[in-house]
Amino acid sequence: MKKLSRKHKIALIELVLVLLIALYFFAPRPFSLAMGSGFDREQVTQIQVDLTNYSGDGQPGRTLRLDPADQGAQELLDRLEDKWYFPYYVEGDSRQITLDYAIQLTFSQPEGDYCCSLTGDRAIDMVDSAARSRSYQVSGSEEFQRSLLDFLLQQEYTIQE
């Protein structure tokens, strides 16, 4: 086998570095990593779900407060954790609302709140406890978000807007 020249070794190292950087920026992440460092399902003290109605049918929005011990909270977390989140690098101000409701999930933890916003658009926006915002997409994004909305609308709401 031929020995690689110094020039080829440097090119190989550069290629590996480029691949590692691309992997860091574009690799899928589980839900806990997508939410941000410090997010831990076991540390969640409350989940608040704000559903803002955009259907135009005159129905008010809904707010749910889920205790982490409730079956509904566990199922919500399970559904969110069943997907892989791919980084989505687009401007966050231009989200289309394709669902009847915009969904805002707020996960309270002792060190701060983590938020997740879903509108039916391809992107899912997440904000960690340090207010760093990131956008992700999942495979079958609209169907996934619609199934989450259907699940949340079946839950008993605590406050009606």
Side-chain angles (χ1 to χ4, degrees):
M1 188 165 154
K2 267 185 172 180
K3 274 191 154 185
L4 292 176
S5 69
R6 180 181 179 111
K7 193 185 247 184
H8 286 103
K9 288 179 185 176
I10 290 173
L12 189 60
I13 290 171
E14 289 173 345
L15 178 63
V16 168
L17 287 175
V18 166
L19 289 174
L20 288 174
I21 290 170
L23 186 64
Y24 174 78
F25 283 107
F26 297 105
R29 295 158 172 80
F31 179 71
S32 59
L33 287 179
M35 285 301 289
S37 62
F39 181 82
D40 181 6
R41 175 182 180 153
E42 302 302 320
Q43 297 295 318
V44 173
T45 57
Q46 176 180 297
I47 302 171
Q48 179 164 320
V49 180
D50 294 304
L51 302 172
T52 306
N53 189 346
Y54 284 97
S55 69
D57 63 3
Q59 293 291 324
R62 298 177 179 195
T63 298
L64 302 107
R65 289 196 182 96
L66 303 172
D67 185 83
D70 292 343
Q71 180 63 30
Q74 293 304 313
E75 188 172 340
L76 174 63
L77 287 166
D78 288 343
R79 286 173 182 240
L80 291 167
E81 288 178 349
D82 278 345
K83 291 288 190 177
W84 284 94
Y85 295 80
F86 295 84
Y88 190 63
Y89 299 104
V90 295
E91 201 55 44
D93 297 337
S94 59
R95 297 288 180 253
Q96 293 181 0
I97 299 174
T98 61
L99 298 174
D100 291 340
Y101 291 83
I103 305 168
Q104 175 79 28
L105 305 171
T106 304
F107 302 91
S108 298
Q109 290 192 223
E111 73 277 350
D113 292 344
Y114 293 79
C115 297
C116 180
S117 299
L118 305 98
T119 62
D121 189 63
R122 187 174 184 180
I124 298 171
D125 297 315
M126 298 185 182
V127 179
D128 65 14
S129 61
R132 288 183 298 255
S133 179
R134 291 176 285 303
S135 296
Y136 293 91
Q137 62 182 345
V138 297
S139 61
S141 186
E142 189 169 350
E143 297 84 25
F144 169 67
Q145 292 182 48
R146 188 165 308 284
S147 72
L148 274 180
L149 176 60
D150 291 343
F151 169 74
L152 292 169
L153 288 172
Q154 292 173 1
Q155 304 302 306
E156 187 173 327
Y157 58 92
T158 52
I159 302 171
Q160 193 166 359
E161 291 179 357

